[in-house]
Amino acid sequence: MTSETTLWHASAREEFGAGPLTRDMTVDLAVVGGGFTGCSAALEAARTGATVCLLEAEAIGHGGSGRNVGLVNAGLWLPPEALTAQMGQDAGLHLIHTLAGAPAQVFNLIAREGIDCEATCDGTLHLAHSAAGLRDVQDRHRQGVALGAPLQVLDAAETQRRVGSDRFCGALFDPRAGTIQPLSYVRGLARAAVAAGAALHTHSPVSALSRKGGDWVLSSQGHTVRARKVLMATNAYHLGLSDPFQPQFVPVNFCQFATAPLPDALRATILPQGEGCWDTALVMSSLRMDQAGRLILGGIGNGAGPVGGVHHAWAQRKLATLFPALKGQALHHGWSGRIAMTSDHIPKIVAFGPDALACFGYSGRGIGPGTVFGMQAAHALLTGDMESLPVRPVARHDERFTSTRALWYETGAGLIHATAARFST
C-alpha cells in the first residue's frame, strides 16, 4: 500500500484548475473554503446573479470533501427522537425533513450540472453487527417510518445476500441514499460555479477578515476581497484565522483502505447491488464498492498517524473476517481525513457578525448536509431569509476539552483496532 495515496485523486474523472487570487475584488458574497459547503454555496449564489469570490487555502476538495467515504445519506447519525429531544419538536422536525431530501438535491445537482462522479442511487445499508445493533436499527426504522421515511429492515439472510458476508444480524435499508466519488463531485460543483460566473481561487489562504464601512474585507495573497456578505465553510480544515471567528469542534480522524479492482467472480458476490454500508459498532466501520470494483473499508483512526500500522493491519483482518475469499488481499490505497464532531452531533450555523455565517460540524455526514447547508446559507445571506435555514443560527458555539476528547477517540480506535477482527467483527 502506498502511504496516504488517496483513491479519489487516482480515480477522479472531474478535473478543476484555478489559480491564486491575483487582484483586488468587490463582490456580493465571499466564501472561505472549497469543499461541499463552499462550492455548493458559490454555485447557488452565482446562479441567482450574485457576484461571488471563493477562496480556498489548498486545492478544491483538499479537506474532508476529497477524503469522504462517498455515502450520500439522508439525515444525521442521530435518530429522529434524539434529534427532537435536543432541538425541540419544531426545530428538530424541520432539520429532519430538510435532510431527508438532501440525497435528492445532491443527485439533482449532479444531473443538472453533468458531474461525472460515479453517482449511484442504490441506497445504503446500516448493518447490525450484533443483536443489540439489530435492536438499534429496528428502533431507527420505527422512528423513521413514523415520519414518512421509506426505510426497510432486512433480516440476516437478506443482509447476507446484499453484503456477501454472514457476519451481520440484519440491516436498515434506505432507498433514498446512494454513493458518489466525492472528489469528482466537489470538483464538479466548483466547475459549475465558475460556469455560472463565480470566481474561485485556490492556494489562497485568508490571512485576515474584518468589518470595514459596512462590508467584510478579506486579505489573501497580498490582495483584498471586499464583500457585502461572507460565508465561512472550512469545517474541520480551518487554517490559521481565529479573529473574528474560528469554528469549535472535536477533530476525529477517519481512515480508509481500498483494494485493487476485484475479479468479476468476487465482485458479483460482494455488495452485488452496490449499496454503501456502515455498521452499528461502537467504533464504526464503513464498506462500499466503487465503479471499478475496488472494495473500500473505512474506520475511525488516523491511518497516517503514530499507530497507522495498527489501522492498516486491522483493515486486512477485517476484510478477511467479513469476506474470507479476500484473505491476503493487498490494500492499494490508504488515506485519512478529519471529521468535525460536535458534542450533540448536530451541525452548527454561527452568525459571527453582521451578514456573516459559518457552517460546520457535520459529524461525519458531509455530502448531503454540506451541500444543503451551503445552498441554503447562500440563499439566506443574499435574501436575508434566515428562517429557512436548516438550523437556527447562534451567535457562538463553544466546545470544551476538544483536544482531550480527540485523543480519547484516537486512542480508543487504536486499542479496538489492535484487537478487533482477531476473534470477531
Side-chain angles (χ1 to χ4, degrees):
M1 183 191 72
T2 304
S3 177
E4 287 294 290
T5 302
T6 305
L7 169 62
W8 308 136
H9 285 85
S11 64
R13 296 172 183 169
E14 287 278 351
E15 297 291 339
F16 180 80
L21 182 67
T22 58
R23 62 186 178 92
D24 295 345
M25 299 182 68
T26 299
V27 295
D28 296 317
L29 175 67
V31 179
V32 183
F36 301 134
T37 302
C39 290
S40 63
L43 172 57
E44 178 72 10
R47 280 176 56 86
T48 69
T51 53
V52 183
C53 177
L54 182 150
L55 299 174
E56 162 58 46
E58 301 287 348
I60 295 297
H62 167 79
S65 299
R67 303 164 190 268
N68 195 280
V69 175
L71 302 186
V72 187
N73 287 301
L76 300 172
W77 292 116
L78 293 177
E81 290 175 3
L83 201 61
T84 55
Q86 294 195 61
M87 299 182 69
Q89 190 75 3
D90 290 344
L93 289 177
H94 175 63
L95 179 58
I96 289 166
H97 291 308
T98 298
L99 295 184
Q105 287 197 260
V106 169
F107 291 120
N108 287 342
L109 271 177
I110 290 168
R112 188 188 77 193
E113 305 299 341
I115 300 174
D116 190 358
C117 62
E118 303 186 15
T120 63
C121 306
D122 296 320
T124 54
L125 297 171
H126 192 179
L127 303 171
H129 80 295
S130 65
L134 181 59
R135 290 191 293 273
D136 178 45
V137 300
Q138 289 170 336
D139 192 49
R140 288 173 180 267
H141 173 264
R142 174 188 63 79
Q143 295 180 44
V145 296
L147 296 174
L151 307 175
Q152 303 171 37
V153 174
L154 309 182
D155 63 17
E158 178 63 13
T159 301
Q160 180 176 353
R161 188 182 72 80
R162 298 275 191 104
V163 179
S165 173
D166 63 1
R167 307 294 291 190
F168 300 103
C169 300
L172 184 64
F173 174 62
D174 189 342
R176 301 169 296 181
T179 61
I180 59 172
Q181 210 277 19
L183 182 60
S184 283
Y185 173 59
V186 72
R187 285 178 175 176
L189 291 176
R191 170 181 56 76
V194 170
L200 273 64
H201 296 283
T202 60
H203 305 288
S204 300
V206 175
S207 55
L209 173 62
S210 61
R211 186 83 173 160
K212 295 180 181 177
D215 289 333
W216 289 98
V217 178
L218 300 84
S219 300
S220 178
Q221 299 293 96
H223 297 279
T224 61
V225 176
R226 181 175 289 271
R228 293 192 303 111
K229 320 279 185 177
V230 65
L231 174 63
M232 189 73 69
T234 51
N235 201 34
Y237 285 78
H238 190 85
L239 297 176
L241 194 68
S242 59
D243 183 24
F245 177 76
Q246 184 174 16
Q248 292 194 32
F249 54 85
V250 179
V252 177
N253 293 298
F254 196 85
C255 55
Q256 295 182 76
F257 303 90
T259 68
L262 299 178
D264 289 344
L266 277 178
R267 189 174 176 181
T269 63
I270 298 175
L271 297 174
Q273 295 182 212
E275 299 100 337
C277 312
W278 73 101
D279 66 25
T280 56
L282 178 63
V283 177
M284 183 271 290
S285 304
S286 63
L287 280 171
R288 62 161 298 191
M289 192 85 72
D290 75 353
Q291 285 190 354
R294 302 178 185 91
L295 185 60
I296 304 159
L297 171 68
I300 300 293
N302 185 359
V307 296
V310 168
H311 300 307
H312 178 254
W314 160 80
Q316 290 189 304
R317 294 196 309 273
K318 182 77 171 182
L319 286 178
T321 301
L322 294 176
F323 311 105
L326 295 185
K327 185 175 182 180
Q329 178 77 34
L331 298 173
H332 284 238
H333 296 273
W335 68 101
S336 299
R338 284 197 303 276
I339 294 168
M341 188 80 73
T342 60
S343 296
D344 57 9
H345 307 297
I346 298 173
K348 306 303 173 190
I349 298 180
V350 176
F352 62 88
D355 301 317
L357 296 176
C359 302
F360 63 97
Y362 304 120
S363 296
R365 288 289 178 98
I367 297 174
T371 299
V372 170
F373 272 60
M375 294 173 66
Q376 296 197 7
H379 172 80
L381 283 167
L382 293 171
T383 65
D385 176 18
M386 298 292 166
E387 295 300 316
S388 63
L389 287 168
V391 297
R392 184 179 299 111
V394 295
R396 61 180 295 154
H397 173 72
D398 297 315
E399 291 278 347
R400 302 181 64 191
F401 310 117
T402 55
S403 298
T404 302
R405 288 158 58 200
L407 180 61
W408 183 85
Y409 279 112
E410 187 64 35
T411 301
L415 289 172
I416 289 175
H417 282 177
T419 56
R422 291 183 187 275
F423 310 107
S424 67
T425 58

